[in-house]
Amino acid sequence: MNKHVREQLKQQLKADRQLILAAFQADGKPEKLLRSLRHSVDGVLAQAWEEAQLPDDTALVGVGGYGRGELFPYSDIDLLILLGQAPDAATQEKLEALVQLLWDLGLEIGHSIRTVDECMSESKADITVQTSLLEARLVTGDLPLFEQLQQRYAAAMDPQAFFQAKTAEMRQRHAKYEDTAFSLEPNCKESPGGLRDLQVILWVAKAAGLANSWRTLATGGLITLTEARQLMEKERAFKDIRVRLHLQAGRREDRLVFDVQTAIAQSLGLQATGSGPNMRRASEILMQRYYWAAKTVTQLNTILLQNIEARLFPQDDQPVPINARFNEVNSLIDISGDDTFERHPSAMLEIFLLMTQRPALKGMTSRATRALWHARFKIDAQFRQDPANRALFLRIMQAPVGVIHALRRMNEMSILGRYLPNFRRIVGQMQHDLFHVYTVDQHILMVVRNMRRFTMSEHAHEYPYCSQLMANFSQPWLLYVAALFHDIAKGRGGDHSKLGVADATQFCQEHGLSADETELVAFLVENHLSMSQVAQKQDLSDPDVIQAFASMVRDERHLTALYLLTVADIRGTSPKVWNAWKGKLLEDLYRVTLRVLGGEPHTADRELKNRQQEALSTLRLYGLPADAHKKLWQQLDMAYFLRHDASDIAWQTRSLYNKLDSDVPVVKCRLAPIGEGLQVAVWVRDQPDLFARICSYFDRKNFSILDAKIHTTNHGYALDTFLVTEQSFAKSYRDIISLIEHELGELLLSQAPLAPPSKGRLSRLSRSFPLQPTVDLRPDERGQYYLLSVAANDRTGLLYSIANVLTKYRVNLHTAKIMTLGERVEDVFLVDGAALNSARNQILLETDLLDALKV
């Protein structure tokens, strides 16, 4: 092809694209854009094919999405160059020139060059190739050759094997996306409930010769006309989003990532609503609509695939009656008549109860699923007020097995939201708090799941203490009810814990719970954040803190219930939020509060004596002299013993034996007893910048500090302990221990000037949802110390930056609780120092800290 023609085609593509995109911006019709882009490329390909002068027995075939007749703005153009015979040298040269030409024209092509025999061989070996050929379309070239391919392909098609392969592939894809459509950054093409699920339906239907469009699926009796319209509507919405994603990113992008959600929402004409705490971002409205659409697709996908499977794999098993309303068919529950739910509305809850009572049932038949899906609108105020229906729902919550499966199915089919209208409000509601990775409804169900796992022996190894407590907890279903309501008031503005109490109390009263049962559920909903806040933000060595918490929970039953809900709740926010250190803090708080509730006095003197005795018992096991502890302990005050476990006291005492007067820093490191991370102890003459210096080392090594206890002895030595973690610890902890002991010791000995803190980059999530840094400095209840609380987006070097500011103002640090919640940090420091006695200095300190927290 001469240069002039090549340039002409290139300009034609560019001009066509500009016109097509301008038309889309004007009319917003995604399917028109997809067809127009395909027509434009078809025309250019036909001209390029003609210029290539290939043999007559060759054809250019569109496959995959392009073969289907759709072309997204930045999608690849999938092409098959079909040959009548293996190419000779001259033909091979022309083929290479054609492919080069297409790339020169700016076309992003994915191509293969095959004969009909090779196509059949590849199709048999690879389900992906077989699927792409299912949508083959002749662009230009030899029609008889293309028809030969189609005939041989159709003859070789095994609809049953294809169905099994595509559904297995779909399950694997769903597993990759954690089997949920409710990811906060879903892939609109590949995630469950997305475009790919719609394509799977049409592929298996077309391969079986049952239909090739939504309308023919309806006329063939596989779905209703209403369902067909719903599917077409959702498909159009997903295509619209995918087109806008491509245009926004300027490349192929199918993920609705946080960075683009607002821009996509605005391009669709969505605007934020409300103001203040009641404000809903445009992106939240977009995503809730997306989740509802994906939920519909998931449900209809299940119905359709079951119907197609029934056609491909007919069964003649006779139904086994369960009761007058339901039968069992092939291990699935079926309705006894198409109008079962119309005649017996209560059966919409009964079907889920029966599935908890009969674990052998694998699910519902497509007939039952469809009937339930369409009957869900009958769940109205009258239905909810019916005592029989309230009793059925309560029996589902009280079922010994299958509770979470029932609730998840009910949510998927919109039964749960219909029965609990306030739950429906939070279905698909996003949470922009930088640590929840699930929508509110999915988080709630995850918490219920975690609660249920505490009751299962097969999961007892995960949280043995929780499993032990749950085994002795009467009426555990009350905890499931509390979990169901603990976040139900999110998004309404105000304190969701307090707002949720009204919903939970109303539910309990309407469902006939006793006054004591209602009070427990309401208590848990109102206080579900309290235990984690006390454990992670307050000084557990302070008897007043423990006494106040004990007064709040009042008795062992309330304490145990709150502990179990707290663990389940934190575990249900994100796989990254929970760690062994949080688990230890919560368990420590539970155990010490339990002793107080049992009547054991919790005084500083008693706790000091207990810990010293336990530490001495441990030291005896090491064969040290009976007085080995005295020289160190006489230099330590009560605060040291109250802030350290007996095992830590024994370890530090043993490590520092005969090293107490050393002028060389002593650094000791061991695997943390909690089973996660490393414990580092530092013994050195005290110095003003010690904490900052140690933080600089951990910062440089990319270690995360989970906890720090800072102590100065009576004779001017610092005894500081840190709990640090890093991903590679488990693989090579011995080498890392040696490295820390050597390098940190050398750093402390050298007294080299401190490097300025690095202002590490924020993560993509933090950039999308920046957190306004906060600093709060206030005296503790006794007026002895100050509590310094900071909150900010997490980033590398953050703690070191804070430490530098504290050093500048000569602030003494006693304890540091480092709480990382996903992309958010909430750190609490117990501090004192002469500078804090001045109100002006306090203001300057807070100002400098705010500057340090900014990126």
Side-chain angles (χ1 to χ4, degrees):
M1 177 179 287
N2 64 55
K3 187 175 181 180
H4 174 73
V5 176
R6 178 186 287 114
E7 190 60 31
Q8 187 178 28
L9 289 179
K10 199 170 184 178
Q11 291 304 315
Q12 179 184 330
L13 275 172
K14 184 177 179 181
D16 286 352
R17 185 179 180 87
Q18 289 175 342
L19 288 172
I20 293 165
L21 295 182
F24 175 73
Q25 297 296 342
D27 61 32
K29 295 180 178 179
E31 290 169 326
K32 176 184 172 185
L33 174 141
L34 301 180
R35 289 194 303 270
S36 298
L37 286 176
R38 186 259 296 175
H39 279 305
S40 172
V41 171
D42 279 358
V44 170
L45 287 176
Q47 292 184 61
W49 183 264
E50 185 176 345
E51 289 287 334
Q53 297 182 346
L54 289 165
D56 292 340
D57 61 340
T58 55
L60 185 62
V61 179
V63 292
Y66 179 60
R68 192 164 54 246
E70 300 173 343
L71 187 59
F72 285 85
Y74 288 95
S75 286
D76 290 346
I77 302 164
D78 295 324
L79 297 174
L80 165 64
I81 300 176
L82 188 61
L83 307 178
Q85 56 187 336
D88 56 22
T91 302
Q92 185 66 40
E93 188 175 338
K94 291 179 179 180
L95 289 169
E96 291 172 1
L98 173 63
V99 171
Q100 184 60 53
L101 170 62
L102 298 181
W103 280 105
D104 290 345
L105 292 176
L107 297 174
E108 296 282 341
I109 63 169
H111 73 283
S112 57
I113 303 172
R114 296 184 181 123
T115 64
V116 174
D117 286 342
E118 289 170 338
C119 286
M120 298 311 300
S121 175
E122 290 293 327
S123 174
K124 184 178 180 181
D126 188 342
I127 187 65
T128 304
V129 175
Q130 188 179 22
T131 305
S132 68
L133 290 176
L134 184 65
E135 299 183 302
R137 173 179 62 86
L138 180 67
V139 177
T140 187
D142 188 357
L143 176 59
L145 179 65
F146 176 69
E147 290 175 338
Q148 179 188 344
L149 171 64
Q150 286 191 306
Q151 291 165 4
R152 289 188 58 183
Y153 178 84
M157 172 60 74
D158 179 347
Q160 293 178 322
F162 186 80
F163 178 89
Q164 291 172 327
K166 294 311 292 183
T167 51
E169 187 180 70
M170 183 178 72
R171 286 192 296 272
Q172 292 169 357
R173 175 170 50 82
H174 286 184
K176 177 182 175 183
Y177 292 94
E178 298 182 348
D179 289 306
T180 180
F182 292 85
S183 163
L184 296 188
E185 294 184 301
N187 186 308
C188 69
K189 179 182 177 184
E190 301 288 349
S191 288
L195 279 170
R196 184 67 82 204
D197 280 6
L198 294 170
Q199 291 164 358
V200 168
I201 296 169
L202 292 176
W203 285 335
V204 296
K206 187 174 182 180
L210 298 173
N212 56 16
S213 68
W214 304 121
R215 287 189 177 86
T216 53
L217 278 168
T219 56
L222 287 162
I223 53 174
T224 65
L225 285 171
T226 299
E227 291 166 346
R229 282 194 294 271
Q230 285 181 313
L231 287 167
M232 286 189 283
E233 176 189 324
K234 307 311 177 194
E235 182 181 45
R236 189 178 300 113
F238 288 156
K239 286 178 178 178
D240 195 5
I241 288 173
R242 191 179 180 210
V243 166
R244 294 173 190 274
L245 278 170
H246 280 214
L247 296 179
Q248 177 67 29
R251 56 184 171 81
R252 177 178 176 172
E253 177 58 85
D254 300 328
R255 298 168 303 149
L256 264 167
V257 293
F258 294 124
D259 313 51
V260 300
Q261 286 175 6
T262 299
I264 299 299
Q266 292 172 347
S267 75
L268 288 165
L270 301 176
Q271 299 295 328
T273 61
S275 60
N278 294 314
M279 188 187 81
R280 292 191 70 205
R281 296 180 175 94
S283 60
E284 292 178 24
I285 298 171
L286 165 71
M287 296 310 299
Q288 190 159 35
R289 291 184 182 181
Y290 172 89
Y291 296 133
W292 278 97
K295 189 176 178 183
T296 300
V297 169
T298 299
Q299 201 54 58
L300 293 175
N301 173 275
T302 300
I303 293 171
L304 263 166
L305 291 179
Q306 283 184 326
N307 283 340
I308 294 171
E309 184 176 22
R311 297 277 185 97
L312 291 174
F313 303 92
Q315 303 276 347
D316 56 2
D317 289 4
Q318 293 301 309
V320 178
I322 295 175
N323 58 29
R325 294 164 297 284
F326 297 102
N327 299 318
E328 180 179 339
V329 180
N330 300 320
S331 298
L332 300 174
I333 191 168
D334 192 20
I335 46 180
S336 58
D338 291 338
D339 60 350
T340 292
F341 297 123
E342 303 287 334
R343 290 186 293 109
H344 307 284
S346 293
M348 284 187 281
L349 293 178
E350 183 187 11
I351 191 171
F352 295 102
L353 177 61
L354 288 171
M355 293 178 74
T356 67
Q357 295 171 343
R358 295 168 174 257
L361 290 170
K362 296 184 294 185
M364 302 179 194
T365 63
S366 60
R367 183 171 77 142
T369 302
R370 169 179 283 143
L372 185 58
W373 175 252
H374 290 294
R376 68 190 189 279
F377 299 106
K378 290 190 172 296
I379 301 178
D380 54 15
Q382 183 178 351
F383 181 98
R384 291 187 284 270
Q385 291 166 8
D386 188 331
N389 294 332
R390 290 176 174 176
L392 281 169
F393 187 82
L394 206 58
R395 288 177 67 190
I396 292 171
M397 297 299 295
Q398 295 169 339
V401 295
V403 176
I404 187 59
H405 292 301
L407 291 176
R408 280 179 169 163
R409 287 186 177 112
M410 291 171 76
N411 189 37
E412 288 167 4
M413 304 188 74
S414 296
I415 301 298
L416 187 57
R418 289 281 168 184
Y419 187 75
L420 300 174
N422 284 335
F423 187 90
R424 189 168 189 265
R425 293 173 62 178
I426 49 92
V427 171
Q429 181 176 313
M430 300 185 72
Q431 305 188 75
H432 297 311
D433 53 17
L434 299 178
F435 58 92
H436 281 88
V437 299
Y438 308 108
T439 55
V440 181
D441 60 312
Q442 294 299 305
H443 163 68
I444 285 174
L445 295 179
M446 190 68 72
V447 175
V448 177
R449 184 208 73 160
N450 292 342
M451 283 285 203
R452 287 289 301 151
R453 284 192 168 193
F454 296 155
T455 69
M456 302 175 186
S457 58
E458 61 267 32
H459 294 290
H461 65 283
E462 296 175 354
Y463 304 100
Y465 194 51
C466 290
S467 296
Q468 175 188 334
L469 293 174
M470 184 66 99
N472 297 313
F473 193 89
S474 64
Q475 297 177 293
W477 58 272
L478 291 171
L479 303 182
Y480 314 152
V481 174
L484 197 59
F485 281 90
H486 81 285
D487 275 354
I488 203 167
K490 278 198 168 178
R492 297 187 204 170
D495 185 341
H496 74 278
S497 301
K498 297 190 180 301
L499 293 172
V501 171
D503 292 348
T505 301
Q506 181 181 354
F507 172 90
C508 293
Q509 292 172 346
E510 290 176 347
H511 288 74
L513 275 68
S514 69
D516 286 346
E517 292 166 346
T518 301
E519 186 279 329
L520 177 62
V521 171
F523 166 82
L524 292 174
V525 173
E526 183 174 8
N527 297 287
H528 71 272
L529 298 175
S530 301
M531 191 167 190
S532 62
Q533 289 172 345
V534 172
Q536 298 179 87
K537 294 187 177 183
Q538 296 192 35
D539 185 2
L540 299 189
S541 67
D542 185 344
D544 291 345
V545 169
I546 303 304
Q547 191 61 56
F549 182 70
S551 298
M552 189 266 288
V553 296
R554 300 194 302 279
D555 57 44
E556 181 179 348
R557 180 166 175 79
H558 283 73
L559 171 64
T560 301
L562 184 58
Y563 172 66
L564 292 171
L565 177 59
T566 302
V567 174
D569 188 17
I570 297 176
R571 283 287 297 169
T573 57
S574 162
K576 297 179 180 179
V577 169
W578 179 264
N579 58 41
W581 177 239
K582 289 186 176 74
K584 182 182 185 302
L585 290 174
L586 289 170
E587 187 173 330
D588 286 350
L589 177 58
Y590 176 85
R591 289 181 183 276
V592 70
T593 306
L594 187 62
R595 293 201 298 270
V596 172
L597 293 173
E600 180 179 318
H602 185 70
T603 63
D605 289 338
R606 183 184 180 89
E607 194 64 27
L608 171 69
K609 185 176 180 181
N610 288 341
R611 294 194 185 186
Q612 287 182 338
Q613 287 178 345
E614 189 177 340
L616 287 172
S617 297
T618 303
L619 284 171
R620 291 190 197 103
L621 300 175
Y622 295 119
L624 295 179
D627 61 350
H629 64 287
K630 288 185 177 180
K631 189 173 182 180
L632 173 63
W633 288 16
Q634 67 186 8
Q635 300 296 340
L636 301 172
D637 60 18
M638 180 181 289
Y640 168 85
F641 291 99
L642 294 180
R643 287 175 185 150
H644 290 81
D645 290 342
S647 64
D648 296 340
I649 296 168
W651 171 62
Q652 292 169 28
T653 303
R654 180 187 174 212
S655 298
L656 296 176
Y657 180 59
N658 287 335
K659 297 183 177 69
L660 295 179
D661 299 320
S662 173
D663 290 327
V664 178
V666 178
V667 178
K668 290 296 179 180
C669 187
R670 68 169 179 172
L671 283 176
I674 60 173
E676 184 178 298
L678 297 177
Q679 206 168 21
V680 181
V682 176
W683 174 263
V684 66
R685 287 192 182 278
D686 199 15
Q687 51 191 267
D689 62 354
L690 181 60
F691 181 67
R693 190 170 293 278
I694 295 171
C695 285
S696 74
Y697 174 77
F698 291 136
D699 176 46
R700 194 168 71 245
K701 293 295 182 181
N702 288 322
F703 294 168
S704 297
I705 300 174
L706 300 182
D707 183 68
K709 294 183 177 74
I710 312 301
H711 192 80
T712 304
T713 66
N714 297 331
H715 67 321
Y717 272 75
L719 177 50
D720 300 347
T721 56
F722 298 82
L723 178 65
V724 299
T725 185
E726 194 261 350
Q727 290 181 349
S728 64
F729 279 175
K731 299 177 182 176
S732 54
Y733 69 89
R734 289 187 179 87
D735 294 337
I736 293 174
I737 285 174
S738 299
L739 189 71
I740 292 174
E741 291 181 344
H742 172 70
E743 290 186 344
L744 182 53
E746 288 291 314
L747 176 67
L748 297 177
L749 185 63
S750 70
Q751 289 294 302
L754 288 174
S758 62
K759 289 215 170 185
R761 293 182 58 193
L762 292 177
S763 70
R764 182 173 53 80
L765 178 58
S766 293
R767 291 197 303 273
S768 299
F769 303 106
L771 179 68
Q772 183 65 35
T774 61
V775 175
D776 181 49
L777 179 67
R778 64 183 62 189
D780 66 2
E781 293 182 358
R782 295 178 179 176
Q784 184 177 0
Y785 299 104
Y786 284 85
L787 283 174
L788 172 64
S789 303
V790 301
N793 288 101
D794 194 17
R795 61 174 171 82
T796 304
L798 183 64
L799 187 59
Y800 181 32
S801 299
I802 295 171
N804 261 322
V805 176
L806 298 181
T807 299
K808 173 183 174 182
Y809 285 88
R810 302 278 178 177
V811 171
N812 303 315
L813 179 66
H814 294 274
T815 65
K817 288 194 172 182
I818 315 301
M819 185 164 65
T820 304
L821 302 170
E823 303 290 334
R824 172 192 181 108
V825 293
E826 295 181 1
D827 299 344
V828 180
F829 306 91
L830 190 67
V831 298
D832 67 5
L836 300 180
N837 297 329
S838 161
R840 180 176 178 276
N841 283 344
Q842 290 183 18
I843 294 172
L844 291 173
L845 172 65
E846 291 183 355
T847 302
D848 282 358
L849 282 171
L850 284 172
D851 288 339
L853 295 175
K854 295 174 183 175
V855 176

